[in-house]
Amino acid sequence: FDDIDRKIYNKMHKLRYELKRRHTFFAGLCSLNMRMLCRDGALALRETMEKSNMISEILRYEIYEDLLSLGDDNLHKLSSMKDVLSQHDFDKAIVFVDRVVIAKKLYDTFKDLNPVLLLGRIHSTVQEQQNAAKEASNEDVKLVISTSAGEEGIDLPSADLLIIWSNTVNVVRFIQRTGRIMRKDKNKPDKLKIVAYIATPDTEDYDALVYGLEAAAKAGVEVPGIDIGSLSKGTLIDKVTNLLQTNPASIEDISNGLYIEIPRAKKWVKEQVNRGKIFYFYLFPYDPIRTACAVKKAVYEGVLDDWIVRDFPRFFEKSPLKSFVKINLTPEWFLSWISGPNKNRAISMYLNYLYNQLSTENRIYALTEDIPIVLTDYSDYFKVPSDFRFKVSCRFSIKNHVEYTASGAVKEIFNKIKDECVGKKVCLTFSGDGWYIKPKVSYDGLYREEVLKLIIMNAGWVCYTIKRANDIIRNNSKC
């Protein structure tokens, strides 16, 4: 990326975060355009912005002027493609791109190689495709430019240089593209064949290349001469892994450690959680037992702890009270409110405000391989009585309905769900009983057996601690 490309990319990243915060599906469309920019280039994104659709209406105001300033010739991968072509002695090269506008731009740029365009059926007839494929086999054609829609129509044993402009994580497409150059030329059986991948560093495009290589290797297709392990060290999310090595951390710590904004850190961490490389557990933003004791003291003794006095204005700002109650916000008002005739409802509102802050900011992320460190440094957050009972609901997609539930103590729940959940991407929501507040905490990720047991223990600790806090207030118990 040059400076303007990066500026556009960062603008879309910030807008995506705002759209996610509003829980709108446009965030996904914004992600699609970010991938388009880093994978295909600014010219492809500009074409999309010039069409009449909802996402272009949202993004056009933010980035269109920047796209125009890049001009018609800006393709950040073009210089790399020129290097590939100049550095190899080839008879015939094939380049795969995803967007027709990019294919046509490359066609105009490399006229000296007598190029042929092979497009999909939307942009060409069957006869035109057949004619293009036939022309591509001519010896004087040095470059064949194909979109993904046209890649199935290519069968050129004489091609000895394959260039992947638009990377994909789809293992079928990855193997299919590579296979276009693997067939030996009967006229030159010993001819060396080369595959060149062009990827944008520090973006999803580079990660797509690495994931595609990994998926192909798992399917039994390896590209000789490429060290996937070394390439993986350059991925965005690998930076998170290195930071967390023997050092569990919050999302804020990760953001500060990598010098990136929190939304971007969340995205990188989520990638690794979904791949089973990282897991997370929860800490309370407040000491639940101290909170319960302070609330009990206010209700039964009429005394407010200093830390409640400092915090209750923020509670009021975030509570439903702000929208319909006009008050002089003082410690005296808060005390009369939480110990008044409707004290049970008031206590419930206040405790929900405190305990329902178990959000991303209250997670500690750790590498799966660092479980012994977690159990040593954070042992208090997994201590739950062996007979304490709670329940869990399981889904295999955030969008799906609950597929099944289980209840019992930690060991019982683990034994009931391990066969269904281990090694799969699963969303787990744990809950318990309570008078003022019913504890609820969620986890999602790809779990190994030992990690699954650990998060059940952490969920048990959360539910048990909130139950203890409820009992302290409800029964006026000693602290």
Side-chain angles (χ1 to χ4, degrees):
F1 274 165
D2 62 21
D3 291 342
I4 298 180
D5 284 315
R6 180 60 66 179
K7 178 182 177 183
I8 295 170
Y9 184 83
N10 288 338
K11 278 186 176 181
M12 288 194 291
H13 195 285
K14 291 178 180 178
L15 180 60
R16 179 178 63 181
Y17 175 69
E18 179 61 26
L19 292 171
K20 278 188 174 182
R21 193 179 65 81
R22 297 177 189 172
H23 303 289
T24 168
F25 73 93
F26 289 126
L29 295 176
C30 200
S31 296
L32 180 65
N33 282 274
M34 289 174 65
R35 288 197 299 273
M36 186 192 307
L37 174 62
C38 62
R39 180 192 61 198
D40 301 312
L43 193 59
L45 184 58
R46 194 178 88 179
E47 182 192 47
T48 298
M49 291 299 102
E50 290 171 347
K51 293 178 180 179
S52 178
N53 53 60
M54 297 181 75
I55 190 61
S56 69
E57 291 178 8
I58 293 173
L59 282 173
R60 190 179 293 128
Y61 175 78
E62 298 284 342
I63 65 173
Y64 188 59
E65 290 300 321
D66 292 321
L67 288 168
L68 286 178
S69 71
L70 289 170
D72 294 334
D73 297 325
N74 182 276
L75 285 177
H76 68 278
K77 290 186 175 183
L78 187 57
S79 61
S80 295
M81 180 166 169
K82 289 179 178 178
D83 289 341
V84 170
L85 292 171
S86 65
Q87 292 168 7
H88 296 89
D89 180 18
F90 62 93
D91 293 331
K92 192 184 300 291
I94 304 172
V95 58
F96 282 122
V97 300
D98 277 356
R99 293 292 297 268
V100 172
V101 66
I102 304 300
K104 291 181 177 180
K105 183 65 180 178
L106 296 180
Y107 180 85
D108 292 337
T109 303
F110 297 103
K111 284 286 191 178
D112 59 315
L113 296 177
N114 195 21
V116 168
L117 267 178
L118 187 57
L119 307 178
R121 293 182 181 179
I122 294 177
H123 300 278
S124 60
T125 65
V126 174
Q127 186 61 51
E128 287 173 335
Q129 285 182 311
Q130 291 174 350
N131 292 340
K134 183 177 180 180
E135 184 183 357
S137 63
N138 294 338
E139 288 187 6
D140 61 336
V141 172
K142 299 281 287 183
L143 178 64
V144 179
I145 304 165
S146 174
T147 62
S148 57
E151 60 193 16
E152 292 184 13
I154 295 180
D155 186 14
L156 295 171
S158 61
D160 51 356
L161 175 61
L162 172 64
I163 303 172
I164 306 298
W165 177 288
S166 304
N167 291 291
T168 177
V169 295
N170 184 300
V171 65
V172 175
R173 286 185 61 197
F174 191 97
I175 294 172
Q176 190 176 54
R177 288 177 171 184
T178 307
R180 297 304 167 192
I181 202 172
M182 290 301 186
R183 185 178 298 180
K184 288 185 177 182
D185 183 356
K186 61 181 180 181
N187 298 320
K188 298 179 181 179
D190 298 326
K191 177 69 174 179
L192 181 65
K193 299 202 173 188
I194 296 170
V195 181
Y197 300 90
I198 303 176
T200 308
D202 295 326
T203 69
E204 296 88 341
D205 184 50
Y206 186 91
D207 289 6
L209 166 59
V210 176
Y211 298 157
L213 288 165
E214 289 178 345
K218 288 181 181 178
V221 177
E222 294 192 34
V223 180
I226 292 183
D227 184 352
I228 299 177
S230 296
L231 284 179
S232 297
K233 294 178 181 178
T235 58
L236 299 174
I237 56 179
D238 185 68
K239 296 177 181 179
V240 176
T241 304
N242 291 336
L243 180 70
L244 292 178
Q245 192 76 43
T246 69
N247 182 40
S250 67
I251 199 69
E252 185 177 2
D253 293 333
I254 294 171
S255 172
N256 292 335
L258 296 176
Y259 303 102
I260 58 173
E261 67 272 19
I262 285 179
R264 203 173 187 197
K266 288 180 178 179
K267 179 181 182 300
W268 294 359
V269 167
K270 184 178 180 180
E271 290 281 352
Q272 289 292 57
V273 168
N274 289 340
R275 288 162 61 85
K277 304 291 186 180
I278 293 174
F279 71 99
Y280 59 83
F281 56 96
Y282 289 94
L283 308 183
F284 282 109
Y286 298 92
D287 182 334
I289 304 306
R290 181 185 173 189
T291 298
C293 292
V295 171
K296 187 197 76 166
K297 191 175 181 180
V299 172
Y300 296 105
E301 301 176 26
V303 178
L304 287 182
D305 274 8
D306 289 342
W307 74 276
I308 289 185
V309 172
R310 291 193 299 268
D311 186 72
F312 80 81
R314 186 169 64 161
F315 152 72
F316 183 77
E317 286 295 317
K318 294 186 176 183
S319 75
L321 293 172
K322 183 181 178 181
S323 61
F324 62 85
V325 176
K326 293 184 178 180
I327 57 171
N328 182 17
L329 200 61
T330 64
E332 290 73 23
W333 168 84
F334 183 83
L335 190 60
S336 64
W337 174 75
I338 203 167
S339 60
N342 295 317
K343 65 181 181 182
N344 285 341
R345 182 170 178 270
I347 293 170
S348 296
M349 288 180 65
Y350 186 60
L351 293 184
N352 269 285
Y353 152 71
L354 292 174
Y355 299 155
N356 280 352
Q357 295 184 62
L358 291 178
S359 61
T360 307
E361 285 70 28
N362 304 113
R363 295 173 180 174
I364 298 296
Y365 294 90
L367 299 184
T368 301
E369 63 197 51
D370 286 341
I371 287 178
I373 294 173
V374 170
L375 288 174
T376 299
D377 295 348
Y378 295 90
S379 58
D380 288 346
Y381 304 102
F382 302 94
K383 291 181 178 177
V384 53
S386 59
D387 59 347
F388 176 70
R389 300 180 65 83
F390 55 113
K391 54 190 173 184
V392 62
S393 61
C394 308
R395 293 175 294 165
F396 293 99
S397 168
I398 293 177
K399 296 179 181 179
N400 288 352
H401 296 294
V402 172
E403 297 207 9
Y404 65 92
T405 60
S407 61
V410 168
K411 189 174 181 180
E412 292 176 272
I413 290 178
F414 174 73
N415 288 333
K416 289 177 181 178
I417 71 173
K418 67 176 181 179
D419 291 341
E420 292 291 334
C421 296
V422 169
K424 300 176 184 176
K425 175 71 171 62
V426 62
C427 306
L428 303 172
T429 300
F430 297 88
S431 58
D433 297 323
W435 177 263
Y436 299 107
I437 172 175
K438 294 184 182 297
K440 189 174 183 179
V441 62
S442 297
Y443 306 74
D444 68 276
L446 181 68
Y447 299 120
R448 295 196 326 218
E449 191 168 299
E450 58 270 33
V451 176
L452 179 63
K453 187 170 185 179
L454 202 64
I455 66 167
I456 294 173
M457 292 166 64
N458 180 239
W461 170 79
V462 169
C463 294
Y464 174 68
T465 304
I466 290 181
K467 182 179 184 303
R468 282 181 60 206
N470 274 299
D471 291 344
I472 285 172
I473 304 171
R474 174 68 176 165
N475 302 324
N476 193 15
S477 305
K478 290 184 178 180
C479 292

